[in-house]
Every structure is written in structure tokens, then in C-alpha cells.
Amino acid sequence: MELQTIKERISLVQSKRDYLLSLLEQPNLGTLRVDVNQALEELDDLIDEFKCTIPQADSN
């Protein structure tokens, strides 16, 4: 897989983070709040790991 393709896919995943944050604002989320928090943490970890592995990832 080409580096540009990977960068594009990471950007797409990063855009989904905002959606997860908006879910946390929902008052009727109930026990799914734990899952959403876990998803956010894992997403942040993966993005950080990608940026450490490919430092120029921030400069598209």
C-alpha cells in the first residue's frame, strides 16, 4: 500500500473522531458511553502511533 493511500485513510479515520465526540454529548447513551470512550482512546493511540512511525504524516 502506498504511503499516500495510508495517509488518506488515516485522515478519514481522524474525521470520524469528531462523530465519536458528538456521541458523548448524547444524554441517552447509557452504558454505550464506556464503549465510545474506549473507541476514542484507541483511536487516539493509533493516530499517535502512526504519527510517531511516519513523522511527516502531519504535513499533507
Side-chain angles (χ1 to χ4, degrees):
M1 187 179 294
E2 292 184 26
L3 181 58
Q4 186 59 36
T5 303
I6 294 171
K7 286 180 180 182
E8 289 169 3
R9 289 185 179 185
I10 290 293
S11 293
L12 179 64
V13 169
Q14 284 175 316
S15 71
K16 305 297 183 187
R17 188 180 187 285
D18 290 335
Y19 179 71
L20 288 173
L21 286 173
S22 71
L23 280 178
L24 285 178
E25 296 173 3
Q26 301 298 319
N28 59 347
L29 196 57
T31 58
L32 288 177
R33 183 173 305 279
V34 173
D35 294 328
V36 172
N37 273 324
Q38 182 67 32
L40 276 167
E41 289 176 19
E42 291 180 18
L43 183 62
D44 288 344
D45 288 346
L46 288 171
I47 292 169
D48 288 343
E49 189 173 323
F50 175 74
K51 288 179 181 178
C52 288
T53 304
I54 305 175
Q56 72 274 15
D58 285 331
S59 58
N60 289 336

